[in-house]
Amino acid sequence: MEQQITPRSLRRNNRLYIAQAAVEYHINLLLTGSFLAALTTALGISDALTGVLSSVISLGCVFQMLSLLLHLRRSRSFVLGMSVANQLLFAALYFIPFLPLGGRVRIVLFVVLLLLAYFVYYVAHPEKVSWLMCWVEDSRRGIFTANMQIVSLVTGMAFSLLMGAVFDHFLGKGQKNAAFLVCGITILALLAVHTALLWGVTDRKLPPQQRDGLPQRFGRVLQNKKVRRVAVLYLLWQTANYAAVPFYGTYQIKELGFSLTLVSLLGVLGSFVRAVVSQWWGRYGDRRSFPVMVRLGLLVAAASFAVCALAVPGRAVLPFAAYNVLYGISMGAIEIGRNNLIFDAVPEEERSDALALSQSLCGLAGFAATAVCGVLVSAVQAGGNRVLGLPLYAQQLMSILAAVLALLAAVYVHRTLIKTK
């Protein structure tokens, strides 16, 4: 590091990291779940394709492999430029309904812009996380990550409720495009705030090890058995998660008839619970170990998917409420463990490479899971929502599959990351 870092500057960097994470989370909320479903429905995109598009978030992780090709001297300017480009592309998605183009052209444009947005985001993501986390003490990574989640979730609750109410207000007046316009302008405003926050974080000069060639960097990461095991763990988790969650947005809006306000309220319930338990998870991980914490989180996730399988028209609110509570609890553990398991396995100069490799593999698994399950969803819907002669909605079937896969991931953690340790 070129400049001297004081305890005061460390605290400032950590606070700015927490604040920018919250603003970035607010932007992402407008491109996921029911908000994305409302936009894709307006563009004439099917449920199955909407689910696949939702999993583009997962496929985007593959783009992180390209970060291994980068030879950066400093972190801040690169991360700033890529973040601005990513968020401009996100905002552009909400202006597509205003373009005087044919239906198919608008759908193609939507898919291209969404892919490009996540390409830009994920190429920069490993370096961004490595840069911002380098200012966090190793002994406090668990509790710091928990605090970061709490701030994002608590502020995200208010934000999603507000945006859901605004969206429903315009929909009630038959002004759907006005709702899209508000979302697009909101993303642009948040972009300005996010840029200012990142600019305030202390820059760093990258160590010379990061200038090695791609084969050396790739091989060095693959030789680490701990990194391979963590990658397989999150590959299993992504497969479970993306087998079900991307299809819940359209299920709630179409088959179950939920309003965006109700969907937002249920999401807030899950976020509130996750915020409440995040500090406990962080301390638990710092004290007991991150693998033990993740194993417990995966068991709770399996229970959340099993409960969601009970949701059908006429009795869906309570199952989805229970799902959001259990899923929120589980994600507190699973997400705290995601980066910290990698950080425990490699030295600082290799963290961005290890993150890029592990999350790229996970991205492929998540996208493949949604693509395959998208075919199943279309088949079940075409068959009148019946499976083996029994009445069963496609999303119920996906929930059962996700529950089984989450249980398998928990068993894997127990056998490879806990017993071997």
Side-chain angles (χ1 to χ4, degrees):
M1 305 293 177
E2 281 192 342
Q3 68 182 90
Q4 185 177 2
I5 302 300
T6 64
R8 182 178 179 182
S9 61
L10 282 177
R11 288 194 298 271
R12 186 194 70 242
N13 288 337
N14 291 344
R15 289 167 183 164
L16 289 171
Y17 185 9
I18 290 173
Q20 74 81 33
V23 174
E24 188 174 72
Y25 176 64
H26 297 165
I27 294 174
N28 290 336
L29 283 174
L30 294 177
L31 273 302
T32 56
S34 55
F35 288 101
L36 178 65
L39 183 54
T40 57
T41 299
L43 294 174
I45 298 174
S46 67
D47 289 7
L49 182 55
T50 297
V52 173
L53 288 175
S54 297
S55 70
V56 167
I57 300 172
S58 177
L59 178 63
C61 294
V62 179
F63 300 143
Q64 294 187 57
M65 292 297 292
L66 297 177
S67 67
L68 297 176
L69 297 171
L70 300 173
H71 297 289
L72 304 174
R73 295 183 177 181
R74 293 191 175 273
S75 298
R76 186 168 60 188
S77 58
F78 170 72
V79 173
L80 262 175
M82 299 295 273
S83 295
V84 169
N86 157 253
Q87 291 160 11
L88 283 173
L89 289 166
F90 275 160
L93 294 173
Y94 274 104
F95 296 104
I96 292 178
F98 298 91
L99 299 178
L101 302 172
R104 289 186 178 181
V105 176
R106 291 198 295 181
I107 290 175
V108 170
L109 180 61
F110 180 89
V111 172
V112 170
L113 290 182
L114 189 66
L115 280 170
L116 187 57
Y118 280 114
F119 169 81
V120 172
Y121 176 84
Y122 280 111
V123 167
H125 185 70
E127 181 56 38
K128 182 180 72 175
V129 173
S130 183
W131 165 43
L132 297 175
M133 283 295 288
C134 81
W135 308 118
V136 181
E137 298 176 50
D138 284 345
S139 62
R140 299 190 68 254
R141 282 192 277 111
I143 190 63
F144 175 82
T145 307
N147 289 335
M148 183 165 60
Q149 285 190 6
I150 289 171
V151 173
S152 294
L153 292 168
V154 171
T155 57
M157 290 182 222
F159 179 77
S160 60
L161 274 177
L162 174 62
M163 295 305 297
V166 170
F167 215 105
D168 283 339
H169 169 75
F170 285 111
L171 288 181
K173 290 186 172 183
Q175 300 175 350
K176 186 179 296 184
N177 281 355
F180 295 150
L181 180 62
V182 170
C183 289
I185 293 174
T186 300
I187 292 176
L188 292 175
L190 292 174
L191 181 160
V193 176
H194 184 258
T195 301
L197 291 169
L198 275 181
W199 182 258
V201 179
T202 304
D203 199 1
R204 71 167 180 173
K205 184 177 180 180
L206 297 176
Q209 289 90 336
Q210 293 206 17
R211 295 183 63 83
D212 291 344
L214 178 60
Q216 293 87 349
R217 294 169 65 177
F218 190 75
R220 184 168 57 240
V221 172
L222 282 179
Q223 289 171 6
N224 191 315
K225 183 183 293 186
K226 290 182 179 180
V227 173
R228 294 200 303 268
R229 287 174 173 171
V230 173
V232 172
L233 159 62
Y234 278 94
L235 185 151
L236 286 171
W237 163 244
Q238 289 292 87
T239 302
N241 197 38
Y242 279 87
V245 175
F247 303 103
Y248 287 163
T250 55
Y251 188 48
Q252 293 175 89
I253 292 176
K254 292 184 177 180
E255 286 86 352
L256 302 181
F258 290 179
S259 68
L260 277 173
T261 300
L262 176 57
V263 174
S264 297
L265 282 171
L266 291 173
V268 164
L269 175 63
S271 296
F272 174 77
V273 173
R274 181 174 170 183
V276 169
V277 302
S278 284
Q279 278 203 338
W280 183 85
W281 278 128
R283 293 192 185 97
Y284 186 82
D286 285 334
R287 185 177 69 252
R288 289 291 304 277
S289 81
F290 292 118
V292 172
M293 177 194 69
V294 171
R295 179 184 61 182
L296 184 54
L298 287 167
L299 292 173
V300 178
S304 75
F305 292 129
V307 169
C308 199
L310 303 175
V312 294
R315 53 180 179 87
V317 176
L318 286 180
F320 256 100
Y323 156 75
N324 276 280
V325 169
L326 292 172
Y327 188 76
I329 293 172
S330 70
M331 289 301 288
I334 294 169
E335 289 304 310
I336 287 174
R338 182 183 294 273
N339 292 337
N340 283 310
L341 286 172
I342 290 292
F343 284 12
D344 281 347
V346 296
E348 180 182 330
E349 63 270 15
E350 296 179 15
R351 287 175 177 176
S352 62
D353 291 354
L355 285 172
L357 175 64
S358 64
Q359 294 190 17
S360 295
L361 296 176
C362 294
L364 282 172
F367 184 78
T370 305
V372 171
C373 291
V375 175
L376 292 176
V377 167
S378 296
V380 173
Q381 290 177 337
N385 291 312
R386 300 187 72 86
V387 178
L388 299 177
L390 299 174
L392 194 70
Y393 283 91
Q395 287 83 351
Q396 291 179 281
L397 178 62
M398 295 303 102
S399 296
I400 295 170
L401 176 60
V404 172
L405 291 172
L407 283 175
L408 289 176
V411 171
Y412 178 82
V413 174
H414 178 76
R415 294 179 64 87
T416 63
L417 295 180
I418 297 177
K419 290 186 70 175
T420 56
K421 183 177 179 182

